[in-house]
Amino acid sequence: MMMALGLYVFSLSTTAYQQLQRQTAWRHPSNPRVGALPARQFVGKGDDTITLSGLILPEISGQRLSLDALRLMADSGKAWPLVEGTGRIYGLWIIENLQETNTLFFKDGAPRRIEFSITLQRVDDSQIELLGSLLSTIGNILR
């Protein structure tokens, strides 16, 4: 397992990503001042975005239906816990965007090569502690 978003597992048999890009922002609005540089004030965290991009080759690894499962999750509008295979908990995330490019087609129109990119947006703030205890409880139940 590379990473799990809710109950969806990113892996070689589903959707293996080759790149994880994370962008985190902090908000510092400015106020203009006469004869001086604008004054800036820290007002808190901004957006936190993760983009996973990869390649599915249905003949070798990955499944075309995996992207459909991600679309169904996005359609629900729910936030999902994001947990790395190492156990690192990223928090609660929504699926903001899913991009798919199909190329190299079989006679029946099925693609041999599917490039994908999924953009996740973090929605929780300080609830990560609750998420950790929830995952630990679920782990104890499953043992």
Side-chain angles (χ1 to χ4, degrees):
M1 174 182 98
M2 298 172 75
M3 187 171 288
L5 178 65
L7 296 177
Y8 183 86
V9 177
F10 290 89
S11 68
L12 289 177
S13 62
T14 59
T15 46
Y17 55 88
Q18 280 78 44
Q19 183 177 19
L20 183 153
Q21 182 180 18
R22 186 173 185 180
Q23 182 176 347
T24 306
W26 293 266
R27 297 176 297 143
H28 296 267
S30 66
N31 290 317
R33 297 185 297 177
V34 176
L37 290 173
R40 296 208 172 258
Q41 180 180 4
F42 177 68
V43 295
K45 294 180 189 178
D47 288 336
D48 197 358
T49 305
I50 289 180
T51 302
L52 302 171
S53 56
L55 177 66
I56 297 173
L57 302 169
E59 292 176 299
I60 300 169
S61 69
Q63 299 176 22
R64 188 175 183 190
L65 293 175
S66 298
L67 296 177
D68 292 337
L70 288 167
R71 281 191 173 86
L72 287 172
M73 290 173 65
D75 288 346
S76 76
K78 293 181 181 178
W80 306 92
L82 184 65
V83 182
E84 198 172 67
T86 63
R88 179 179 180 193
I89 300 171
Y90 284 86
L92 295 173
W93 298 74
I94 57 168
I95 300 172
E96 189 172 72
N97 187 352
L98 176 61
Q99 183 177 339
E100 173 184 346
T101 303
N102 298 313
T103 55
L104 303 173
F105 298 93
F106 289 105
K107 288 190 304 187
D108 64 357
R112 290 182 177 168
R113 178 184 175 99
I114 304 166
E115 294 179 42
F116 71 91
S117 176
I118 181 169
T119 304
L120 307 173
Q121 189 73 43
R122 186 169 179 175
V123 294
D124 68 331
D125 191 17
S126 60
Q127 299 173 359
I128 197 161
E129 295 82 19
L130 295 173
L131 182 59
S133 64
L134 173 66
L135 290 175
S136 153
T137 302
I138 291 171
N140 291 335
I141 291 170
L142 294 176
R143 286 186 207 161

